[in-house]
Amino acid sequence: MDADIAAAARVLEAGGLVAFPTETVYGLGADAENPAAVARIYQAKGRPNDHPVIVHVAPGADLDYWVTDIPDAARQLVAAFWPGPLTLILKRASHIPDAVSGGQDTVGIRCPAHPVAIALLSAFKGGRGGLAAPSANKFGNVSPTTAQHVRDEFHLDDVEEGSITGEPACSAGLHVTVLEGGASQVGIESTIVDLSRLATHGPVLLRPGHITAQQIADVIGLLPAAPDQAAPRASGTLESHYAPRTPVTMVAHAALADTVAQLQARGARVAVIGHACGAMVDLGDSQRLLPAEPVGYAYGIYAALREMDLVKADVILVETPPQSSDWLGVNDRLRRSVFGSTGILARFLSE
Ligand code: TXA
Ligand code: MG
């Protein structure tokens, strides 16, 4: 593995792309200070190039090298949560390429906790570099939480497990090296907090995640607010995102069995992702049961969406999770997965 990490670091230093595990989801990384390398990320993802990407740094990295006007609150959050699933939006240093920040005067920065990510960041430019890395999926798709998901996403099927020697071309005609790191522990993307306008707007929660607004408030004494009109843009905050190909819709627990029966009576193929009562419906391989608590649910939801996408159902029904604040990150991702499938049940049931 050490040799794989060293080789991957050389690929990155030469301007190439490396997909690597983080504790949240797998990232598609490139040298954040090399605009041509960052452009390859956008090309591979099919992502609009005005969408900013997060810069990943090694533990103990010099924050002042990457960002300016750093408020005390930022240093407190770094001390409390890094390495870990928290991204801070701060004013960018002048040498950060436009390609990383989408032309904005801010940059997202985080230090991931996964040991492979830390080893890679420590090997890359001797630990002084930064890796621009969005989630390693095509734009708008479900984020990958295993190396296999990444290979599926970019059609890299001939890469050997743990090997980076293959470097096959991905669908955009680019080369992607994949580092193996097991299933991502957290399972949904990092919490994003904007601290770039702290003096005027206070902290703003741009994307909910494993680290909650309350945990942030406990450290800095200010509860992050919901985004306002002028808040920095985040592509994960587009209404439609994290979506499988099969339409997805939410169904309340009480209506689930009945909805499945009605759909099946009309000849529709149904897949279900539940979280509480597995015995309610029996769909064999077309069903996944996730834990009924938010941490375990977040760990499994993206893999479940991918698996249920593969069974080629007409619709994926997701049993509506609880709406309490500890489920905020999960509900945020599900809301974006179902967007675009509005009215799908009515269409089936009116036929
Ligand atoms: O957990 C994560 O954050 C994963 C892993 C790979 O680290 N990365 C990730 O990246 O989710 P991506 O690109 O899929 O989502 C990054 C989000 C986007 O919504 C992007 O718009 C936002 O961060 N973002 C990055 N820089 C920003 C900035 N300067 N201002 C506002 N939003 C920013
Ligand atoms: Mg993403």
Side-chain angles (χ1 to χ4, degrees):
M1 194 58 185
D2 289 355
D4 288 347
I5 300 260
R10 300 298 90 78
V11 167
L12 290 164
E13 286 161 4
L17 297 179
V18 174
F20 62 96
T22 85
E23 76 282 26
T24 57
V25 300
Y26 275 64
L28 183 62
D31 180 355
E33 295 173 276
N34 178 342
V38 176
R40 289 187 188 103
I41 298 178
Y42 286 85
Q43 203 187 332
K45 280 185 65 92
R47 187 185 210 194
N49 53 17
D50 61 342
H51 285 270
V53 288
I54 295 170
V55 175
H56 297 67
V57 295
D62 180 11
L63 209 54
D64 297 87
Y65 178 74
W66 298 100
V67 288
T68 62
D69 306 332
I70 306 170
D72 289 345
R75 297 196 195 273
Q76 289 163 356
L77 290 175
V78 166
F81 297 116
W82 282 10
L86 177 68
T87 296
L88 302 177
I89 306 293
L90 292 160
K91 294 284 181 204
R92 69 164 155 156
S94 54
H95 61 93
I96 307 290
D98 274 352
V100 168
S101 66
Q104 303 181 83
D105 64 353
T106 56
V107 66
I109 186 164
R110 94 172 182 100
C111 173
H114 194 291
V116 172
I118 290 177
L120 180 65
L121 285 161
S122 304
F124 172 64
K125 292 186 176 176
R128 287 180 299 277
L131 291 180
S135 50
N137 52 276
K138 291 278 190 174
F139 183 66
N141 286 3
V142 178
S143 300
T145 54
T146 68
Q148 188 58 49
H149 292 166
V150 178
R151 287 192 282 267
D152 292 347
E153 196 68 27
F154 295 103
H155 310 292
L156 305 176
D157 289 333
D158 45 353
V159 182
E160 286 170 33
E161 282 290 305
S163 158
I164 59 160
T165 50
E167 290 191 39
C170 79
S171 48
L174 297 165
H175 291 272
V176 180
T177 295
V178 183
L179 285 175
E180 181 66 49
S184 295
Q185 284 294 306
V186 173
I188 57 172
E189 303 79 358
S190 59
T191 305
I192 304 182
V193 178
D194 175 27
L195 295 174
S196 69
R197 305 173 306 152
L198 191 63
T200 49
H201 294 74
V204 175
L205 186 68
L206 295 185
R207 184 171 69 183
H210 182 75
I211 293 174
T212 63
Q214 187 56 54
Q215 282 177 285
I216 290 164
D218 290 345
V219 172
I220 63 173
L222 294 166
L223 188 68
D228 54 280
Q229 283 294 319
R233 288 166 290 126
S235 74
T237 60
L238 289 179
E239 283 305 324
S240 175
H241 219 79
Y242 316 121
R245 284 178 195 82
T246 313
V248 184
T249 192
M250 313 290 292
V251 178
H253 175 77
L256 193 60
D258 196 41
T259 306
V260 170
Q262 285 188 45
L263 286 165
Q264 287 179 330
R266 285 165 173 80
R269 288 162 304 168
V270 185
V272 167
I273 298 174
H275 64 270
C277 292
M280 278 203 56
V281 285
D282 184 9
L283 296 170
D285 286 347
S286 298
Q287 176 173 248
R288 282 291 172 280
L289 193 68
L290 296 174
E293 45 77 29
V295 173
Y297 192 102
Y299 172 77
I301 184 57
Y302 284 153
L305 283 169
R306 278 177 188 272
E307 286 164 17
M308 293 304 93
D309 209 12
L310 290 177
V311 303
K312 303 260 178 281
D314 295 304
V315 60
I316 301 170
L317 305 182
V318 178
E319 180 184 357
T320 312
Q323 299 300 303
S324 50
S325 62
D326 48 343
W327 286 84
L328 195 63
V330 161
N331 282 311
D332 170 77
R333 304 313 188 279
L334 287 175
R335 192 167 55 77
R336 297 176 208 286
S337 295
V338 306
F339 193 85
S341 304
T342 317
I344 183 82
L345 279 190
R347 243 174 293 147
F348 276 120
L349 297 178
S350 65
E351 276 170 13

